């Protein structure tokens, strides 16, 4: 299945060199919408927040990473849609490639749109999304609020005040992969045969 939404994703990458998924498989329907956050040590360390929506992963780069504190309004810069398979990607993007560096699956789980289910895309296009995350590290309500349109729209990612809000816990200290238990450094270590 050709997915026109992934044009920008494919254009940026050379799949002969990068191990990232090509995005050629048909997106598998799942009963629940999934999300992933990938810690990405590229030229600048950031966290890539991706929400399954409309057959792709809508994506935002959060330079400072998510916070459990309602008062932290974390800048989230929207990036190109990624294929659904990307949620499973952990590894090394070779130097010189787009986003070259190490990728770690920092959190994953499912999410629910707060509001009428049919209005998920509507809210996304309006630039105001309220979601409930059911991850291993992030739980409860969050808001994504678009503050600037354009080529790379800017949003704010904010924890909603609920029982999971926590002003004292620095969730980023939980820095291991939720899939492999590895640290960024361990994922970045190439084996001796490379
Ligand atoms: Mn990234």
């Amino acid at each position: 299945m050709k997915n026109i939404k992934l044009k920008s994703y494919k254009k940026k990458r050379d799949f002969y060199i990068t191990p990232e998924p090509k995005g050629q498989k048909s997106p598998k329907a799942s009963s629940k919408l999934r999300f992933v956050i990938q810690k990405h040590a590229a030229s600048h360390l950031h966290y890539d927040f991706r929400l399954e929506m409309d057959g792709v992963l809508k994506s935002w780069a959060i330079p400072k990473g998510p916070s459990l504190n309602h008062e932290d309004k974390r800048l989230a810069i929207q990036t190109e849609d990624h294929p659904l398979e990307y949620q499973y990607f952990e590894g090394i993007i070779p130097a010189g490639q787009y986003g070259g560096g190490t990728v770690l699956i920092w959190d994953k789980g499912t999410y629910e749109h707060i509001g009428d289910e049919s209005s998920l895309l509507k809210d996304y296009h309006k630039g105001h999304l309220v979601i409930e995350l059911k991850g291993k590290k992030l739980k409860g309500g969050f808001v994504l609020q678009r503050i600037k349109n354009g080529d790379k729209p800017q949003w704010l990612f904010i924890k909603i005040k609920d029982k999971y809000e926590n002003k004292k816990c620095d969730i980023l200290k939980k820095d291991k992969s939720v899939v492999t238990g590895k640290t960024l450094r361990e994922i970045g270590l190439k084996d001796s045969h490379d």
Side-chain angles (χ1 to χ4, degrees):
M1 191 177 110
K2 283 261 163 75
N3 199 331
I4 190 110
K5 286 180 271 210
L6 297 175
K7 209 173 144 191
S8 170
Y9 172 86
K10 290 177 182 175
K11 211 171 143 189
K12 288 172 191 285
R13 292 167 174 82
D14 182 345
F15 295 104
Y16 287 103
I17 302 175
T18 181
E20 293 165 285
K22 294 189 188 86
Q24 283 174 337
K25 290 179 199 153
S26 303
K28 271 187 209 131
S30 66
S31 54
K32 287 183 175 172
L33 296 169
R34 292 161 291 184
F35 84 93
V36 68
I37 298 180
Q38 283 149 321
K39 188 176 181 181
H40 185 184
S43 51
H44 296 281
L45 181 76
H46 59 273
Y47 292 75
D48 288 301
F49 180 50
R50 310 189 197 281
L51 292 176
E52 179 177 351
M53 201 186 300
D54 205 19
V56 294
L57 295 174
K58 295 289 175 194
S59 297
W60 294 262
I62 305 179
K64 288 187 174 173
S67 170
L68 301 186
N69 186 345
H70 170 72
E71 282 157 33
D72 290 336
K73 294 169 179 27
R74 292 292 160 88
L75 180 65
I77 301 152
Q78 193 164 5
T79 57
E80 75 277 16
D81 294 348
H82 278 50
L84 288 182
E85 305 101 279
Y86 207 92
Q87 65 191 288
Y88 308 112
F89 180 72
E90 181 168 276
I92 302 169
I93 302 171
Q97 292 301 295
Y98 181 72
T102 308
V103 176
L104 172 152
I105 299 175
W106 184 80
D107 199 13
K108 65 171 198 147
T110 59
Y111 80 96
E112 276 176 34
H113 172 236
I114 305 299
D116 182 0
E117 202 47 53
S118 64
S119 65
L120 170 64
L121 275 174
K122 237 189 253 173
D123 283 356
Y124 164 76
H125 288 296
K126 265 194 280 179
H128 183 83
L129 262 184
V130 184
I131 52 176
E132 184 184 349
L133 297 181
K134 295 170 180 177
K136 294 187 174 171
K137 294 174 186 172
L138 297 188
K139 294 178 198 296
F142 285 83
V143 172
L144 269 165
Q145 173 71 51
R146 193 171 57 219
I147 52 168
K148 202 177 160 195
N149 258 315
D151 193 29
K152 285 196 167 180
Q154 295 184 7
W155 300 60
L156 294 176
F157 185 56
I158 307 161
K159 180 79 195 83
I160 284 176
K161 285 184 183 175
D162 59 17
K163 66 176 178 179
Y164 298 108
E165 202 228 352
N166 191 328
K167 290 187 177 11
K168 285 177 190 143
C169 164
D170 179 4
I171 193 72
L172 300 183
K173 283 191 176 149
K174 293 188 175 180
D175 61 351
K176 288 181 179 151
S177 164
V178 293
V179 175
T180 58
K182 289 181 179 175
T183 62
L184 257 186
R185 194 175 159 271
E186 286 165 343
I187 294 165
L189 291 174
K190 291 182 181 179
D191 69 47
S192 54
H193 302 292
D194 281 358

